[in-house]
Amino acid sequence: MKISEVAQLIKASVCTNNSVEGIEVVSACSADLMSDVMAFSKSNALLLTGLVNPQVIRTAEMMDIRAVVFVRGKKPTEAMIEMADDKSIVLLTTDYPMFVASGLLYENGIHGRGE
Amino acid sequence: MGGVVVRQYDIPANDFTVAGEASSNVRKILSQLGVSPDIVKRTSIAMYEAEINAVIHGNGGQALVEIDTDKIYIRISDQGPGIADLELAMQEGYSTAPDSIREMGFGAGMGLSNIKKHADQLKIDTEIDKGTTVNITVFFKPQTGV
Ligand SMILES: Nc1ncnc2c1ncn2[C@@H]1O[C@H](COP(=O)(O)OP(=O)(O)OP(=O)(O)O)[C@@H](O)[C@H]1O
Ligand SMILES: [Mg+2]
């Protein structure tokens, strides 16, 4: 699924300035603990989280996660946006809580599985 | 790729804004050297977990990285409290991280076992009140008979 479709499904807006083209999401991981994300080594994954700090971007970088959705209306800081742009990671924000955002994506074909 | 690339990094204590800089830098170098994405990811995961541990448990430390033609060796050392029971610490779910660390998104007790999972070789030296040194090796090609 393309990032633009993800954004549409969960009514998310893009916070970063880099291009969202070419990013294809096939699986997703919802977590507030980055420790759990580190144990999720699927590729082409999307991360949904309620945690807002620079380590979210770092963790995404290490795990080859190209897109992160902040749930429940949380917004990344300027420093995080800069960091994400530098690493070609797309940041999005949605007002939906984690469960609902995850459910909407699951319902539309993004499952936790993947490579 | 030819010759050995050697890098050294300082890992500041309890600084979450720069935690992971060393791992991020090594990741860039490996990618530039043309190491396969799969190996880059395994190396990144192992090094980042060890780096974060040095930040949150070890009062910061140092990283030494040696990239050879066939492997990468990473040494993360700190002069922190050391690990009293390493076998216990290696178990999934065991963590002494306080709530303040958990609020930062870490402290599930998964790091050491995750390092073990992704490293080809792992050796941890630790002594109470002296510190901890984590030695990680990842080979660029599958090893036979190692
Ligand atoms: N460098 C270190 N110095 C002192 N103690 C350490 C060090 N690394 C790990 N430990 C001890 O081992 C425990 C387990 O480490 P591990 O990395 O597996 O989990 P964690 O860091 O607590 O949580 P997570 O890695 O999931 O975020 C830690 O809680 C801590 O007690
Ligand atoms: Mg850890």
Side-chain angles (χ1 to χ4, degrees), chain A residues 32-36 38-43 51 53-56 58-59 61-64 83 86-87, chain B residues 16-21 23-24 27 41 44-45 48-49 52 102-108 110 114 117:
Chain A
D32 284 347
L33 266 186
M34 293 304 108
S35 309
D36 287 339
M38 291 301 293
F40 183 89
S41 53
K42 307 282 193 302
S43 46
L51 183 75
N53 72 38
Q55 291 313 307
V56 174
R58 275 279 182 250
T59 302
E61 178 191 10
M62 298 304 155
M63 302 308 290
D64 287 332
M83 211 170 144
D86 184 52
K87 300 175 195 312
Chain B
F16 271 97
T17 54
V18 296
E21 281 283 342
S23 302
S24 172
R27 187 187 165 80
K41 188 166 170 182
S44 303
I45 295 173
Y48 183 61
E49 292 276 20
I52 294 287
R102 224 149 277 142
E103 276 157 27
M104 299 300 297
F106 294 92
M110 302 292 286
N114 211 17
K117 183 168 140 198

Side-chain angles (χ1 to χ4, degrees), chain B residues 36-52:
Chain B
S36 81
D38 185 52
I39 299 288
V40 174
K41 188 166 170 182
R42 280 177 49 213
T43 306
S44 303
I45 295 173
M47 181 169 177
Y48 183 61
E49 292 276 20
E51 187 179 354
I52 294 287

Side-chain angles (χ1 to χ4, degrees), chain B residues 2 76 81 101 116 146:
Chain B
I76 310 265
I101 295 298
K116 187 156 190 221
V146 178

Side-chain angles (χ1 to χ4, degrees), chain A:
Chain A
M1 187 183 291
K2 292 193 164 44
I3 293 298
S4 51
E5 294 172 73
V6 169
Q8 206 172 11
L9 275 173
I10 59 174
K11 300 196 179 111
S13 53
V14 177
C15 310
T16 36
N17 309 300
N18 52 14
S19 167
V20 302
E21 294 300 315
I23 302 179
E24 192 66 34
V25 174
V26 301
S27 74
C29 171
S30 302
D32 284 347
L33 266 186
M34 293 304 108
S35 309
D36 287 339
V37 180
M38 291 301 293
F40 183 89
S41 53
K42 307 282 193 302
S43 46
N44 297 95
L46 173 80
L47 169 63
L48 294 103
T49 187
L51 183 75
V52 183
N53 72 38
Q55 291 313 307
V56 174
I57 318 296
R58 275 279 182 250
T59 302
E61 178 191 10
M62 298 304 155
M63 302 308 290
D64 287 332
I65 290 171
R66 302 282 309 278
V68 180
V69 177
F70 295 98
V71 296
R72 209 179 265 288
K74 288 173 181 153
K75 297 202 171 52
T77 62
E78 270 314 311
M80 287 167 66
I81 292 172
E82 219 174 282
M83 211 170 144
D85 274 330
D86 184 52
K87 300 175 195 312
S88 304
I89 294 169
V90 174
L91 304 182
L92 301 105
T93 177
T94 176
D95 283 337
Y96 285 126
M98 183 114 95
F99 182 79
V100 177
S102 305
L104 283 169
L105 292 174
Y106 193 94
E107 208 173 48
N108 285 279
I110 295 187
H111 298 163
R113 298 181 289 274
E115 280 300 296

